[in-house]
Amino acid sequence: MGPKKGRPTPREVRSQKAQMPTHHPGSEKGVKWPMAVKDGSSPHRGTVSDTGLKGKADDLTYKLQRALDSDPNLSAYGLKVQSSGEALQVTGIVDTLQEKYALRDLMSDLGISEFQDAVSLSTDGSVDQNDIIAEVREELDADHELDSANINLRSTDGHLILTGTVSSPEHKRRAENAARRASGVTGIQNNLSTRKQDLSPEALFHSQVNNEGPHPRP
């Protein structure tokens, strides 16, 4: 004889009502929520990541956590969002400086200009500056648009300094982006200069006229 069917208990009714407004079909069905949280009898609301109870946490915190969990560049790191009053804090560990910038870009896209960045960079024991420079060089060489032979590198405690000459501001930006992808880089000082483009004779003439200006009266 199977189990006796009957009306749901008051606790089951509370649990169903608590889940219906927030647990939409297809979202977080695999999450095991504590019963006391589900039926509302516990004052502890859990976190956004372990209960998914939208509306039980600050809306902005929830929005940011969901964005981090779905971002293709950041979701694998399991970064966590916390809020205290008006302050937002993101904690966790990422591999490279590139992910730190990706976090800032994500915050900016969500309209968040200020937050506490408590995300640290992963390090495997002591950091060898020669290894950092070698990896940065590999990243620069991988960008075939760059003339990486004219880019000089110096690293001190993970802080990288780029010097030399590139052909355009765009290449200066690309060089910095390449350096961000290297492990061990904790900061970048981009001192690259850009070569002046060759001017046509007409442009050169107008440049000289503009620089000389009108001749003063004797």
Side-chain angles (χ1 to χ4, degrees):
M1 183 175 180
K4 183 179 180 181
K5 296 182 179 180
R7 299 179 62 183
T9 65
R11 188 183 70 173
E12 292 172 335
V13 172
R14 291 199 305 271
S15 174
Q16 293 171 359
K17 288 183 178 180
Q19 294 181 61
M20 287 177 61
T22 57
H23 200 167
H24 304 293
S27 65
E28 300 181 87
K29 285 294 184 181
V31 176
K32 185 177 180 181
W33 296 355
M35 181 57 72
V37 174
K38 290 196 293 185
D39 65 19
S41 62
S42 170
H44 176 64
R45 296 172 176 175
T47 66
V48 171
S49 59
D50 63 21
T51 66
L53 294 177
K54 185 177 180 181
K56 296 293 185 179
D58 177 78
D59 287 342
L60 188 57
T61 304
Y62 176 86
K63 181 179 180 181
L64 178 55
Q65 185 66 65
R66 300 294 278 178
L68 287 173
D69 292 343
S70 60
D71 187 272
N73 298 315
L74 299 171
S75 59
Y77 293 103
L79 302 180
K80 300 301 180 185
V81 185
Q82 298 174 332
S83 63
S84 176
E86 297 298 323
L88 279 175
Q89 184 184 62
V90 183
T91 60
I93 301 174
V94 295
D95 288 335
T96 68
L97 194 60
Q98 180 69 17
E99 281 80 37
K100 295 270 285 184
Y101 279 86
L103 172 61
R104 296 177 191 177
D105 291 341
L106 176 63
M107 301 291 269
S108 178
D109 291 342
L110 293 174
I112 303 170
S113 58
E114 295 183 5
F115 70 102
Q116 296 177 6
D117 184 354
V119 176
S120 58
L121 292 171
S122 175
T123 56
D124 297 325
S126 60
V127 178
D128 188 298
Q129 304 306 308
N130 292 327
D131 289 343
I132 292 176
I133 290 177
E135 187 166 341
V136 172
R137 182 63 65 187
E138 289 180 2
E139 294 291 345
L140 292 172
D141 291 343
D143 188 336
H144 300 299
E145 297 291 326
L146 290 173
D147 185 4
S148 58
N150 292 322
I151 299 176
N152 303 313
L153 307 173
R154 188 166 77 251
S155 177
T156 304
D157 296 330
H159 185 80
L160 186 72
I161 301 176
L162 303 176
T163 58
T165 306
V166 291
S167 60
S168 68
E170 169 64 14
H171 283 194
K172 180 177 180 177
R173 183 188 65 81
R174 291 173 72 102
E176 182 170 336
N177 286 344
R180 291 176 188 172
R181 295 191 289 269
S183 299
V185 176
T186 58
I188 298 175
Q189 183 176 333
N190 193 341
N191 291 341
L192 291 170
S193 60
T194 56
R195 289 191 293 269
K196 294 183 179 179
Q197 300 296 321
D198 294 334
L199 296 177
S200 65
E202 182 180 0
L204 181 59
F205 170 78
H206 287 295
S207 175
Q208 291 174 342
V209 170
N210 291 335
N211 288 334
E212 292 175 0
H215 294 288
R217 292 176 179 272

Short mmCIF file of all heavy atoms in Angstrom, two decimals, residues 106-136:
data_model
loop_
_atom_site.label_atom_id
_atom_site.label_comp_id
_atom_site.label_asym_id
_atom_site.label_seq_id
_atom_site.Cartn_x
_atom_site.Cartn_y
_atom_site.Cartn_z
N LEU A 106 32.52 45.14 -16.38
CA LEU A 106 31.20 44.62 -16.08
C LEU A 106 30.46 45.55 -15.12
O LEU A 106 29.27 45.84 -15.32
CB LEU A 106 31.32 43.23 -15.46
CG LEU A 106 30.02 42.57 -15.00
CD1 LEU A 106 29.08 42.35 -16.18
CD2 LEU A 106 30.30 41.25 -14.29
N MET A 107 31.15 46.03 -14.10
CA MET A 107 30.53 46.96 -13.14
C MET A 107 30.09 48.23 -13.85
O MET A 107 29.00 48.75 -13.61
CB MET A 107 31.52 47.29 -12.03
CG MET A 107 32.01 46.09 -11.23
SD MET A 107 30.72 45.36 -10.21
CE MET A 107 30.94 46.26 -8.69
N SER A 108 30.94 48.73 -14.75
CA SER A 108 30.60 49.94 -15.48
C SER A 108 29.37 49.74 -16.34
O SER A 108 28.50 50.61 -16.42
CB SER A 108 31.80 50.37 -16.34
OG SER A 108 31.49 51.53 -17.10
N ASP A 109 29.28 48.57 -16.99
CA ASP A 109 28.12 48.28 -17.83
C ASP A 109 26.83 48.24 -17.01
O ASP A 109 25.74 48.53 -17.53
CB ASP A 109 28.31 46.94 -18.55
CG ASP A 109 29.40 47.00 -19.62
OD1 ASP A 109 29.75 48.13 -20.03
OD2 ASP A 109 29.89 45.93 -20.02
N LEU A 110 26.95 47.88 -15.74
CA LEU A 110 25.78 47.82 -14.86
C LEU A 110 25.51 49.17 -14.18
O LEU A 110 24.60 49.27 -13.36
CB LEU A 110 25.99 46.75 -13.78
CG LEU A 110 26.04 45.30 -14.28
CD1 LEU A 110 26.40 44.35 -13.14
CD2 LEU A 110 24.71 44.89 -14.90
N GLY A 111 26.31 50.18 -14.53
CA GLY A 111 26.12 51.51 -13.95
C GLY A 111 26.72 51.68 -12.58
O GLY A 111 26.35 52.60 -11.85
N ILE A 112 27.67 50.82 -12.21
CA ILE A 112 28.31 50.88 -10.90
C ILE A 112 29.69 51.49 -11.07
O ILE A 112 30.57 50.88 -11.69
CB ILE A 112 28.43 49.48 -10.26
CG1 ILE A 112 27.04 48.84 -10.16
CG2 ILE A 112 29.09 49.56 -8.90
CD1 ILE A 112 27.07 47.38 -9.77
N SER A 113 29.88 52.69 -10.56
CA SER A 113 31.15 53.38 -10.74
C SER A 113 32.10 53.19 -9.56
O SER A 113 33.32 53.32 -9.71
CB SER A 113 30.91 54.87 -10.96
OG SER A 113 30.20 55.44 -9.87
N GLU A 114 31.57 52.89 -8.37
CA GLU A 114 32.41 52.73 -7.19
C GLU A 114 32.07 51.41 -6.48
O GLU A 114 30.90 51.10 -6.26
CB GLU A 114 32.21 53.90 -6.22
CG GLU A 114 32.68 55.24 -6.77
CD GLU A 114 32.54 56.36 -5.76
OE1 GLU A 114 32.17 56.05 -4.60
OE2 GLU A 114 32.79 57.52 -6.11
N PHE A 115 33.11 50.64 -6.14
CA PHE A 115 32.92 49.42 -5.38
C PHE A 115 34.25 49.04 -4.76
O PHE A 115 35.31 49.54 -5.15
CB PHE A 115 32.40 48.29 -6.27
CG PHE A 115 33.41 47.77 -7.27
CD1 PHE A 115 34.09 46.58 -7.05
CD2 PHE A 115 33.67 48.46 -8.43
CE1 PHE A 115 35.01 46.11 -7.97
CE2 PHE A 115 34.58 48.00 -9.37
CZ PHE A 115 35.26 46.82 -9.14
N GLN A 116 34.21 48.15 -3.76
CA GLN A 116 35.42 47.68 -3.10
C GLN A 116 35.92 46.44 -3.84
O GLN A 116 35.29 45.38 -3.79
CB GLN A 116 35.13 47.36 -1.64
CG GLN A 116 34.72 48.57 -0.82
CD GLN A 116 34.36 48.21 0.61
OE1 GLN A 116 34.52 47.06 1.03
NE2 GLN A 116 33.87 49.18 1.37
N ASP A 117 37.05 46.59 -4.51
CA ASP A 117 37.63 45.49 -5.27
C ASP A 117 38.55 44.69 -4.35
O ASP A 117 39.69 45.05 -4.11
CB ASP A 117 38.41 46.04 -6.47
CG ASP A 117 38.96 44.93 -7.36
OD1 ASP A 117 38.83 43.75 -6.99
OD2 ASP A 117 39.52 45.25 -8.42
N ALA A 118 38.01 43.59 -3.81
CA ALA A 118 38.79 42.71 -2.94
C ALA A 118 39.20 41.43 -3.67
O ALA A 118 39.46 40.40 -3.04
CB ALA A 118 37.98 42.36 -1.69
N VAL A 119 39.25 41.50 -4.99
CA VAL A 119 39.66 40.36 -5.81
C VAL A 119 41.18 40.37 -5.94
O VAL A 119 41.77 41.37 -6.36
CB VAL A 119 39.00 40.42 -7.21
CG1 VAL A 119 39.51 39.28 -8.08
CG2 VAL A 119 37.49 40.36 -7.08
N SER A 120 41.82 39.28 -5.59
CA SER A 120 43.28 39.19 -5.65
C SER A 120 43.71 38.35 -6.84
O SER A 120 42.93 37.61 -7.43
CB SER A 120 43.83 38.59 -4.35
OG SER A 120 43.27 37.32 -4.11
N LEU A 121 45.00 38.50 -7.19
CA LEU A 121 45.57 37.76 -8.30
C LEU A 121 46.23 36.49 -7.79
O LEU A 121 46.92 36.50 -6.77
CB LEU A 121 46.60 38.62 -9.04
CG LEU A 121 46.05 39.81 -9.81
CD1 LEU A 121 47.18 40.70 -10.30
CD2 LEU A 121 45.21 39.35 -10.98
N SER A 122 46.02 35.40 -8.51
CA SER A 122 46.60 34.12 -8.12
C SER A 122 48.11 34.12 -8.34
O SER A 122 48.60 34.58 -9.37
CB SER A 122 45.96 33.00 -8.95
OG SER A 122 46.58 31.76 -8.68
N THR A 123 48.83 33.61 -7.36
CA THR A 123 50.29 33.47 -7.49
C THR A 123 50.68 32.09 -7.00
O THR A 123 50.19 31.60 -5.98
CB THR A 123 51.04 34.52 -6.65
OG1 THR A 123 50.62 34.42 -5.28
CG2 THR A 123 50.77 35.92 -7.17
N ASP A 124 51.56 31.43 -7.75
CA ASP A 124 52.06 30.11 -7.37
C ASP A 124 53.46 30.26 -6.77
O ASP A 124 54.46 30.24 -7.48
CB ASP A 124 52.11 29.18 -8.58
CG ASP A 124 50.73 28.93 -9.16
OD1 ASP A 124 49.78 28.88 -8.37
OD2 ASP A 124 50.60 28.81 -10.38
N GLY A 125 53.52 30.44 -5.46
CA GLY A 125 54.80 30.63 -4.81
C GLY A 125 55.42 31.97 -5.18
O GLY A 125 54.73 32.94 -5.47
N SER A 126 56.74 32.04 -5.15
CA SER A 126 57.44 33.28 -5.48
C SER A 126 57.33 33.56 -6.97
O SER A 126 57.34 32.64 -7.79
CB SER A 126 58.91 33.17 -5.07
OG SER A 126 59.53 32.10 -5.76
N VAL A 127 57.23 34.83 -7.30
CA VAL A 127 57.07 35.24 -8.69
C VAL A 127 58.43 35.60 -9.26
O VAL A 127 59.13 36.46 -8.72
CB VAL A 127 56.10 36.45 -8.79
CG1 VAL A 127 55.99 36.90 -10.24
CG2 VAL A 127 54.74 36.07 -8.24
N ASP A 128 58.82 34.95 -10.33
CA ASP A 128 60.08 35.23 -11.01
C ASP A 128 59.84 36.31 -12.05
O ASP A 128 59.03 36.14 -12.97
CB ASP A 128 60.61 33.96 -11.66
CG ASP A 128 62.02 34.14 -12.21
OD1 ASP A 128 62.19 34.98 -13.11
OD2 ASP A 128 62.94 33.44 -11.74
N GLN A 129 60.55 37.42 -11.91
CA GLN A 129 60.35 38.56 -12.83
C GLN A 129 60.72 38.20 -14.27
O GLN A 129 60.10 38.69 -15.21
CB GLN A 129 61.16 39.77 -12.35
CG GLN A 129 60.85 40.21 -10.93
CD GLN A 129 59.37 40.48 -10.70
OE1 GLN A 129 58.74 41.22 -11.44
NE2 GLN A 129 58.80 39.85 -9.67
N ASN A 130 61.72 37.34 -14.42
CA ASN A 130 62.09 36.92 -15.78
C ASN A 130 60.98 36.10 -16.43
O ASN A 130 60.75 36.22 -17.64
CB ASN A 130 63.39 36.10 -15.74
CG ASN A 130 64.60 36.94 -15.36
OD1 ASN A 130 64.67 38.13 -15.68
ND2 ASN A 130 65.56 36.33 -14.68
N ASP A 131 60.30 35.28 -15.61
CA ASP A 131 59.18 34.50 -16.15
C ASP A 131 58.04 35.43 -16.57
O ASP A 131 57.37 35.18 -17.58
CB ASP A 131 58.68 33.51 -15.11
CG ASP A 131 59.67 32.37 -14.88
OD1 ASP A 131 60.56 32.19 -15.74
OD2 ASP A 131 59.56 31.68 -13.85
N ILE A 132 57.81 36.47 -15.78
CA ILE A 132 56.75 37.42 -16.12
C ILE A 132 57.06 38.09 -17.46
O ILE A 132 56.21 38.17 -18.35
CB ILE A 132 56.60 38.48 -15.01
CG1 ILE A 132 56.04 37.85 -13.74
CG2 ILE A 132 55.69 39.62 -15.47
CD1 ILE A 132 55.96 38.79 -12.57
N ILE A 133 58.29 38.56 -17.60
CA ILE A 133 58.68 39.24 -18.84
C ILE A 133 58.58 38.29 -20.03
O ILE A 133 58.12 38.66 -21.12
CB ILE A 133 60.09 39.83 -18.71
CG1 ILE A 133 60.08 41.01 -17.73
CG2 ILE A 133 60.63 40.27 -20.07
CD1 ILE A 133 61.43 41.62 -17.48
N ALA A 134 58.99 37.03 -19.82
CA ALA A 134 58.92 36.05 -20.91
C ALA A 134 57.48 35.81 -21.34
O ALA A 134 57.19 35.71 -22.54
CB ALA A 134 59.57 34.74 -20.46
N GLU A 135 56.56 35.74 -20.36
CA GLU A 135 55.16 35.50 -20.70
C GLU A 135 54.55 36.72 -21.38
O GLU A 135 53.75 36.59 -22.31
CB GLU A 135 54.37 35.10 -19.46
CG GLU A 135 52.95 34.68 -19.79
CD GLU A 135 52.25 33.97 -18.65
OE1 GLU A 135 52.94 33.49 -17.74
OE2 GLU A 135 51.01 33.90 -18.68
N VAL A 136 54.91 37.92 -20.89
CA VAL A 136 54.42 39.14 -21.54
C VAL A 136 54.91 39.19 -22.99
O VAL A 136 54.16 39.53 -23.91
CB VAL A 136 54.87 40.39 -20.78
CG1 VAL A 136 54.52 41.66 -21.57
CG2 VAL A 136 54.22 40.45 -19.40
#
